Amino acid sequence: MDTRERLIESTRELLWERGYVGTSPKAIQQRSGAGQGSMYHHFHGKPDLALAAITRNAEEMRERARAALDGPGTVAGRVAAYLRRERDALKGCPVGRLTQDPDVMADPELRGPIEETFAWLTGTLTALLARGRADGELRPDLDPGATAAALVAVVQGGYVLARATGSPDAYAQAVEGALALIRFQEKENH
Amino acid sequence: MDTRERLIESTRELLWERGYVGTSPKAIQQRSGAGQGSMYHHFHGKPDLALAAITRNAEEMRERARAALDGPGTVAGRVAAYLRRERDALKGCPVGRLTQDPDVMADPELRGPIEETFAWLTGTLTALLARGRADGELRPDLDPGATAAALVAVVQGGYVLARATGSPDAYAQAVEGALALIRFQEKENH
DNA sequence: GTCTATATATGGATAGAC
DNA sequence: GTCTATCCATATATAGAC
């Protein structure tokens, strides 16, 4: 991995662990093994480097979600696969956590990938649920948009609970609670 | 309001807006109108002052939740009242946002009130749902603990969605999606 | 491309006068 | 209780040598 790449990867990790305000250029240099001059040669500064890191975190999150949601099985099964996907719940969501970062949200460039990612995710889930409803797998009165928003929120909130309690179990419990509720939206004899 | 009180209130706001790492002593002094010496006279330092502010944020959050959950009506109605309670969704949760703050979570003292608050909240909701089930209002196969976790997660995740999209509507949508699912847990002729 | 030197502001606090 | 002075480390760069 070349220097530029190591800088991006180190920044990705640090943004995930400590957020934008909590991540200093010095910390990035130490983790990546790159020197001061090296970092400022490859990037204009902290915001520039952060943009590269955030963009990549967002892409990876979409890729992982797509993999679970595009899988085989029923709509309800794919939603379950997505929610139960292996996650390090205590680390939280690398994209969602940035919504709490005032300096990130204040900068339209940095904020962009975050906004897009959540729009894409809820949109994709909405379309999937709508298809399940059209196919007769799900109840006709289910609201795809609201349900999708609730599901994405359960994931994001599940991370908060896991961190608050110090245990990944809290995430799992929230997810299982949501899936149990979804179960009643599946029509009996489909 | 005396100086000590203004310091706590200003810190509460700043922790809410910018988190712990993003809040400097100088910013606290400016917002509260207190001088350097004044702040260090009343508190030993940033962590000490933050503890007072976090404790108060946690107490207020419990108080507000209790007010909605202890209200009149059915169990499902009280849950709905809690979820729909007036909130500034774009500001996020003053307690939940701190779970993303590495320096807060690393300090057992600062972390304490956060852990307690979420334990209390999910516990209270669990008990309420269990009562609804025992009373025959809710389906007998509903899992109170998992459902409570899912509901708390929807609230916390709803804040994330609101901030990510820049609109409080995202919060409202997630909440309504969850409430629609809960509706199917109510028994027909109770 | 990488390194070292240098620079200004801020973070977070202590000391002592009033 | 509050104010001013002072302190050392870190944040966030820029400049220029190699």
Side-chain angles (χ1 to χ4, degrees):
Chain A
M1 203 162 42
D2 66 5
T3 302
R4 189 190 150 82
E5 198 57 23
R6 286 205 321 275
L7 281 163
I8 297 179
E9 288 300 313
S10 299
T11 305
R12 253 156 56 94
E13 294 171 16
L14 284 164
L15 285 180
W16 196 350
E17 295 166 19
R18 306 195 40 86
Y20 184 81
V21 268
T23 296
S24 69
K26 180 185 244 179
I28 294 170
Q29 291 152 29
Q30 282 169 347
R31 183 164 304 202
S32 65
Q36 188 101 321
S38 210
M39 173 182 145
Y40 284 101
H41 169 74
H42 289 289
F43 297 94
H44 293 153
K46 184 175 157 176
D48 185 30
L49 178 45
L51 177 58
I54 291 173
T55 301
R56 195 171 290 185
N57 272 345
E59 283 166 358
E60 190 174 281
M61 175 171 163
R62 287 198 288 263
E63 218 35 69
R64 282 169 158 321
R66 200 192 320 268
L69 292 173
D70 278 4
T74 62
V75 167
R78 286 196 263 168
V79 166
Y82 171 64
L83 294 186
R84 290 188 180 131
R85 193 189 81 199
E86 189 187 9
R87 297 166 194 266
D88 193 341
L90 287 178
K91 287 195 68 177
C93 172
V95 180
R97 77 111 57 226
L98 297 172
T99 60
Q100 302 298 329
D101 230 307
D103 293 0
V104 169
M105 299 315 274
D107 182 334
E109 281 220 85
L110 297 182
R111 187 206 168 96
I114 299 163
E115 204 161 347
E116 281 170 29
T117 297
F118 280 102
W120 174 84
L121 181 57
T122 53
T124 300
L125 254 176
T126 299
L128 183 63
L129 292 169
R131 188 137 28 91
R133 189 179 61 171
D135 290 351
E137 179 193 337
L138 301 174
R139 300 180 54 94
D141 53 356
L142 174 133
D143 179 337
T147 310
L151 290 169
V152 174
V154 165
V155 169
Q156 293 296 315
Y159 287 130
V160 172
L161 279 179
R163 286 180 66 87
T165 62
S167 162
D169 296 351
Y171 175 89
Q173 213 188 8
V175 157
E176 293 308 322
L179 290 177
L181 296 178
I182 286 290
R183 206 158 293 134
F184 289 90
Q185 301 300 310
E186 300 182 71
K187 283 163 73 176
E188 307 295 337
N189 305 318
H190 175 61
Chain B
M1 203 161 40
D2 64 6
T3 302
R4 189 190 148 84
E5 198 58 23
R6 287 204 320 275
L7 281 164
I8 296 179
E9 288 300 313
S10 298
T11 304
R12 254 157 55 94
E13 294 171 16
L14 283 164
L15 285 180
W16 196 350
E17 295 167 18
R18 306 195 40 86
Y20 185 81
V21 268
T23 296
S24 69
K26 181 185 243 178
I28 295 170
Q29 290 152 29
Q30 284 170 345
R31 183 164 303 202
S32 65
Q36 187 102 321
S38 211
M39 173 181 145
Y40 284 101
H41 169 74
H42 290 289
F43 297 95
H44 293 155
K46 183 175 158 176
D48 185 29
L49 179 44
L51 177 58
I54 291 174
T55 301
R56 196 171 289 185
N57 272 346
E59 282 166 358
E60 190 173 281
M61 174 170 163
R62 287 198 288 261
E63 219 35 68
R64 283 170 157 317
R66 201 192 320 267
L69 292 174
D70 278 4
T74 61
V75 167
R78 287 195 262 167
V79 166
Y82 171 64
L83 294 185
R84 290 187 179 132
R85 193 190 81 200
E86 190 188 7
R87 297 166 192 266
D88 193 342
L90 287 178
K91 288 196 68 178
C93 173
V95 180
R97 75 112 57 226
L98 297 172
T99 60
Q100 303 298 331
D101 232 305
D103 293 359
V104 169
M105 299 315 274
D107 182 333
E109 280 220 86
L110 297 181
R111 187 204 169 95
I114 299 164
E115 205 161 347
E116 280 170 30
T117 298
F118 280 101
W120 174 85
L121 181 56
T122 53
T124 300
L125 254 176
T126 299
L128 183 63
L129 292 169
R131 188 136 28 91
R133 190 181 61 172
D135 290 351
E137 179 193 337
L138 301 174
R139 300 181 53 95
D141 52 357
L142 175 134
D143 179 335
T147 310
L151 290 170
V152 173
V154 165
V155 169
Q156 293 296 315
Y159 287 129
V160 172
L161 279 180
R163 287 180 66 88
T165 62
S167 161
D169 296 351
Y171 174 89
Q173 214 188 6
V175 157
E176 292 308 321
L179 290 176
L181 296 178
I182 286 289
R183 206 157 294 133
F184 289 90
Q185 302 299 311
E186 299 182 72
K187 285 162 73 176
E188 307 293 338
N189 304 318
H190 175 60

